[in-house]
Amino acid sequence: MVWTPPGARTLREYRRSWLVKDVVAGVVLSTLLVPQGMAYAELAGLPPITGLYTSVLCLLAYAVFGPSRILVLGPDSSLGPMIAATVLPLVAADGDPERAVALASVLALMVGAITILAGVARLGFVADLISKPTMIGYMNGLALTILIGQLPKLFGFSTDADGLVAEVGAFADGLGDGKTVPAAVAVGLGCIALILLLQRLLPKVPAVLVMVVLAVAASVVLDLDEHGVRTVGRLPEGLPPFTLPHIGWGDLGALSVGALGIALVSLADTISNASAFAARTGQEVRGNDEMIAIGTANAAAGLFQGFPVSTSGSRTAVAERAGSKSQLTGVVGAVLILLMLVLLPGLFRDLPQPALAAVVITASLSLADLPGTRRLWRQRKAECCLSVAAFLGVALLGVLPGIAVAVGLSILNVFRRAWWPYSTELGRVPGLEGYHDVRSHPTAAHLPGCTILRFDGPLFFANAKSFRDEVLRVARTTPAPRWILLAAEPITDVDTTAADILQELDAALQERGVRLVLAELKDPVRRKIERYGLTRTFDPSRFHPTVEAAVTAYRALSGARWSDPAQ
């Protein structure tokens, strides 16, 4: 079968009634893409023009390869600090912008290669390596990092500090040394207030566009550059240039570390956004196809002086509210940016730099999820602690180490749950069928001489000893049970280490005169036990299809009767 790009399939299925809606949505979207593209480029430590180049190429590439009809790609506030943390330490001491662009372009190519290979290998599950609590903590830390990093620009000066703590100190020193430009502060705070106010009171109005227009007008009318307010200046004229970036071999190691972290965050962001908008539009999420599309978009950006990209929930929501029906919306937005670069390169030359800082700061506020953190504290304090640890990892160690901390904490949380799974005794509750947790039903009836035990997890090397200790604890109770009946339905696996410990446990119980019996053991798990040779000591009479069958067998053997719950 010949592979067909998703864009070609969309073109074949395109409806004439979508055209006007897509064009209108593309026009609306472009008004957001231009200021955000420039702002996020500067957030990444790159010239503003690279943000526009990146926006154009990733939109066009995703229109061809993207499986979603609604997602919008582009420079993203969550990736900006990661790009800066990877690229800026490798830039020469004089801050050579051309070298920074070359490094960022190679970074985009590496991110593209990683995500394409992962998509081809069907590794979409890697996006699940960061749990939601740790992602909340990571994003909270990222939001604070972005906010602190933009404060000097908002106040009209710059610093060379690296890291949250150092940036706070440098900003405080700048304030103390009188570097603040009052006009810049007024512009920046006014722009932030305007964006937040419009987003709250008039959510359908493009707040960023209104702010940009008013900021440019104020800059021209009030001669803000004469008052020390820096502006964007005239952008380079013409189309994005095709460029094969050149860097040294020694730079590849540091870039590869950053590329892995950026690819992981980009994929997690893309899959979550794709799932959210697919649920609203009735589309199906194809994770591996999304990975290939994201990789292609990054590669395209990297070949035209761009930097790594991701999907944007805010820009996608704008396109959706404007009536977008297909990726033609992104194509229209890209074409309008190209026309601006060719015909009106000086359109934003009077845009104040504090206005760009305002765009970034308001975007960082949308990254933070303080209500989510409070909800975690109410619902599950252990996961809230994981979220706080991820936050501290970003805030104290940096953006790239922070993502490593977030992934590590997510994986450790998985091991923690498997290491100490929930275990309990079961009893019979009047009026309820089956057997139930005695912790939830303290008055549940017990069967004298038979303890029904449930262990909620697979038996493997990490938790086999804790399982053994729990069973031995039950065996040492007074009066000692004759049977320990294991309700084994939740046990989904038994590895060789657990099998050996299970055999040792059975021998220790037999010395005490206690019989270990298993009920509801899954067939695949029982076949593993047989393959391990445990059936030499565990004869067939010790396996029962249900807990009820095992209880019936015990009662027939012992004549025991259920205890009275009232007693």
Side-chain angles (χ1 to χ4, degrees), residues 346-406:
L347 184 62
F348 292 98
R349 67 173 179 270
D350 294 314
L351 179 63
Q353 289 283 358
L356 291 182
V359 173
V360 175
I361 288 174
T362 53
S364 73
L365 296 178
S366 67
L367 292 178
D369 189 2
L370 298 181
T373 304
R374 289 195 297 269
R375 185 174 65 252
L376 287 175
W377 179 254
R378 292 194 307 268
Q379 295 176 347
R380 192 162 184 166
K381 290 180 173 55
E383 293 196 349
C384 183
C385 290
L386 286 176
S387 182
V388 172
F391 167 80
L392 293 176
V394 177
L396 300 179
L397 301 179
V399 177
L400 289 179
I403 190 64
V405 169

Side-chain angles (χ1 to χ4, degrees), residues 422 424-427 429 432 436-444 454:
Y422 183 75
T424 186
E425 294 182 23
L426 303 181
V429 180
L432 294 177
H436 303 275
D437 189 342
V438 298
R439 296 177 184 174
S440 302
H441 303 277
T443 60
R454 193 185 72 205

